[in-house]
C-alpha cells in the first residue's frame, strides 16, 4: 500500500458519521487505504463502524493511549510509504490527498506536508490549530500563517504560496512513514498537544523539510476532544511546551529561554487569575511542577536530539518574540511580522 490515512478515534461516533463518508469519497483508490484506529472508545463507535463501514480496516487499541502513543501504535500496524494523521473532525475536499502525495513523490527531500486548514464552522477563515503552516518563536510560542495567538485571519489567498514551515499540524499531517519512525515518532509522554511540533522540531534539526501545500484544502472543526478553555488542555499545553523546549533547545540558549519563559508563564498565571479562570491558572502551576518533576526522564532524549542534529539554526524558526510583536508592536498577522 502506498498511502495509509489513519484516523484516530476516541468516542467520536458522531464525528465519524459526519465526516468519514467524505474522507472515503475523496480518498480511496487502489494505492490508498483509510484505517480507523480506535483509542479505547467507550461509546458505540466500533459497532457503528462495523455496521455501516465494514470495508474500513479497524485497529482496536485496548485503552486510550492519547493522541501521541495512539498514533505510534496505530502506525506500527500499517505498511505504507506515506501515512496521514487525520483528525476525525476533518472535512476533506476533492483531490486533497492526490495533491499532497504527488508533491511528495516529486520532492524526495520533503519529509512531511500539510494542506491549507480552514475552519469547518466558518469556511472563510483559517483554522486555529494549523492554518497555512506552523512556526514557533525563540521562546517556544507556536503561531501559523493565518493565525497569530488568538487572532485568526480570513483566507483571501494571501498565503497560497508553497513554503517551508517549522511544523505541520497533527490535524492533517502527511509524512513519510520511514522518517516518522526514524526520528522516534510522537513522544508518548506528551499524551496530547504540542507533540507534532516536537516531532517536526526533530525532523528539522536532522535536515528534513516540512512544507505547506495550500492547493490542498481541508476543513477542521477543532477542539473536538477538549474545549479550548478546558483546564486539562491548559495544563498539557504549558507542560508539553516546556518538555519540547528542554528536549530541543541548543545549550547556548537554553538557560536564557527558560528564564524568559518562567517570567512569561508567571504573567500568564496572573492574567488567568484576573480573568477569574482559577482552574486554568492552577493548571499553569501544576504544569510547571510536573515538568520539573519529570524533567530527569527527558535528559536522554535531549542528549540524543542534540547529538543527531545536523542543522544548528533552523531557517523556519522565528528568532524574535511573537508576544512582543503582537502586544507591543501591534502586529497581529503573519504577513506583518514575517516580511520575507
Amino acid at each position: 500500500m502506498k498511502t495509509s490515512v489513519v484516523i484516530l478515534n476516541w468516542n467520536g461516533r458522531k464525528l465519524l458519521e459526519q465526516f468519514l463518508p467524505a474522507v472515503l469519497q475523496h480518498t480511496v483508490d487502489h494505492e490508498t487505504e483509510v484505517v480507523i484506529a480506535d483509542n479505547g472508545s467507550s461509546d458505540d463507535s466500533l459497532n457503528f463502524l462495523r455496521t455501516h463501514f465494514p470495508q474500513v480496516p479497524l485497529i482496536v487499541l485496548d485503552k486510550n493511549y492519547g493522541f501521541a502513543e495512539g498514533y505510534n501504535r496505530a502506525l506500527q500496524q500499517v505498511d505504507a510509504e506515506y501515512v496521514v494523521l487525520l483528525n476525525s473532525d476533518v472535512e476533506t475536499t476533492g483531490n486533497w490527498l492526490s495533491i499532497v502525495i504527488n508533491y511528495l513523490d516529486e520532492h524526495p527531500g520533503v519529509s512531511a506536508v500539510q494542506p491549507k486548514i480552514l475552519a469547518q464552522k466558518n469556511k472563510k477563515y483559517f483554522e486555529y490549530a494549523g492554518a497555512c503552516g506552523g512556526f514557533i518563536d525563540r521562546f517556544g510560542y507556536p503561531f501559523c500563517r493565518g493565525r497569530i495567538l488568538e487572532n485568526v485571519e480570513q483566507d483571501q489567498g494571501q498565503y497560497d504560496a508553497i513554503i517551508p514551515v517549522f511544523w505541520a499540524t497533527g490535524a492533517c499531517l502527511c509524512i513519510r512513514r520511514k522518517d516518522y519512525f526514524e526520528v522516534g515518532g510522537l513522544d508518548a509522554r506528551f499524551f496530547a498537544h504540542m507533540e507534532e511540533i516536537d516531532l517536526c522540531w526533530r525532523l528539522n534539526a536532522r535536515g528534513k523539510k516540512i512544507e505547506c501545500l495550500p492547493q490542498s484544502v481541508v476543513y477542521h472543526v477543532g477542539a473536538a476532544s477538549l474545549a479550548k478553555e478546558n483546564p486539562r488542555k491548559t495544563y498539557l499545553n504549558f507542560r508539553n511546551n516546556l518538555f519540547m523546549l528542554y528536549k530541543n533547545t541548543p545549550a547556548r540558549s537554553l538557560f536564557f529561554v527558560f528564564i524568559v519563559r518562567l517570567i512569561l508563564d508567571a504573567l500568564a498565571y496572573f492574567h488567568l487569575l484576573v480573568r477569574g479562570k482559577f482552574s486554568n491558572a492552577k493548571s499553569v502551576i501544576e504544569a510547571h511542577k510536573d515538568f520539573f518533576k519529570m524533567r530527569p526522564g527527558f535528559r536522554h532524549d535531549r542528549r540524543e536530539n542534540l547529538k543527531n542534529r545536523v542543522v544548528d539554526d533552523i531557517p523556519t524558526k522565528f528568532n524574535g518574540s511573537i508576544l512582543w510583536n503582537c502586544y507591543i508592536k501591534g502586529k497581529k498577522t503573519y504577513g506583518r511580522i514575517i516580511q520575507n
Side-chain angles (χ1 to χ4, degrees), residues 28-39:
V28 175
D29 58 39
H30 69 283
E31 293 186 312
T32 306
E33 64 176 355
V34 176
V35 178
I36 307 295
D38 188 77
N39 219 357

Side-chain angles (χ1 to χ4, degrees), residues 7-288:
I7 299 173
L8 189 66
N9 172 67
W10 180 69
N11 292 341
R13 188 254 196 224
K14 291 183 179 179
L15 294 172
L16 293 170
E17 184 176 9
Q18 182 177 0
F19 296 115
L20 183 56
V23 175
L24 295 174
Q25 176 187 348
H26 298 142
T27 302
V28 175
D29 58 39
H30 69 283
E31 293 186 312
T32 306
E33 64 176 355
V34 176
V35 178
I36 307 295
D38 188 77
N39 219 357
S41 293
S42 56
D43 66 358
D44 64 340
S45 293
L46 290 176
N47 287 335
F48 169 76
L49 289 167
R50 286 167 176 152
T51 301
H52 297 281
F53 300 97
Q55 77 279 20
V56 175
L58 289 175
I59 296 171
V60 181
L61 303 177
D62 61 318
K63 65 178 182 179
N64 181 10
Y65 287 96
F67 184 91
E69 182 63 7
Y71 263 118
N72 287 341
R73 289 173 177 259
L75 298 187
Q76 287 169 356
Q77 298 185 48
V78 300
D79 184 16
E81 180 181 1
Y82 305 122
V83 290
V84 181
L85 287 63
L86 184 69
N87 278 14
S88 59
D89 61 342
V90 169
E91 177 185 335
T92 57
T93 63
N95 298 322
W96 75 280
L97 186 63
S98 61
I99 292 171
V100 165
I101 300 303
N102 290 340
Y103 189 85
L104 287 173
D105 283 344
E106 295 167 3
H107 298 81
V110 176
S111 285
V113 296
Q114 72 157 73
K116 179 193 292 187
I117 315 282
L118 300 177
Q120 198 273 335
K121 294 179 180 178
N122 190 345
K123 296 182 177 179
K124 293 181 179 180
Y125 284 82
F126 291 104
E127 201 276 320
Y128 181 92
C132 221
F135 300 86
I136 62 167
D137 73 0
R138 69 181 303 183
F139 303 113
Y141 287 91
F143 63 99
C144 303
R145 271 200 309 175
R147 191 271 296 176
I148 302 295
L149 301 178
E150 303 299 319
N151 305 289
V152 180
E153 293 181 58
Q154 186 172 348
D155 175 28
Q156 299 176 329
Q158 69 271 43
Y159 302 127
D160 278 355
I162 297 173
I163 66 166
V165 297
F166 188 90
W167 57 272
T169 176
C172 187
L173 168 63
C174 183
I175 185 170
R176 298 179 193 273
R177 184 177 181 274
K178 177 178 178 291
D179 289 343
Y180 179 93
F181 285 110
E182 191 174 273
V183 300
L186 297 172
D187 192 326
R189 294 164 294 185
F190 281 45
F191 190 77
H193 301 296
M194 299 282 174
E195 65 281 281
E196 79 267 47
I197 306 179
D198 173 64
L199 170 68
C200 290
W201 198 332
R202 281 177 271 138
L203 287 168
N204 278 295
R206 298 179 196 198
K208 310 290 186 180
K209 294 181 180 178
I210 304 160
E211 299 191 356
C212 177
L213 305 182
Q215 291 67 36
S216 171
V217 179
V218 301
Y219 302 98
H220 184 214
V221 174
S225 298
L226 283 177
K228 192 175 178 181
E229 295 283 326
N230 189 295
R232 174 67 173 168
K233 178 172 279 192
T234 300
Y235 166 81
L236 290 170
N237 276 323
F238 275 83
R239 187 199 68 174
N240 292 351
N241 194 273
L242 294 172
F243 286 156
M244 178 181 69
L245 285 170
Y246 179 69
K247 287 176 62 180
N248 299 288
T249 303
R252 66 179 183 273
S253 54
L254 183 65
F255 179 77
F256 174 69
V257 167
F258 264 87
I259 290 297
V260 173
R261 275 304 301 266
L262 287 173
I263 295 169
L264 294 174
D265 286 1
L267 293 174
Y269 167 78
F270 287 113
H271 179 66
L272 289 166
L273 283 182
V274 169
R275 293 173 59 202
K277 304 213 175 269
F278 303 113
S279 295
N280 295 79
K282 181 181 178 182
S283 294
V284 176
I285 300 297
E286 294 298 320
H288 277 261

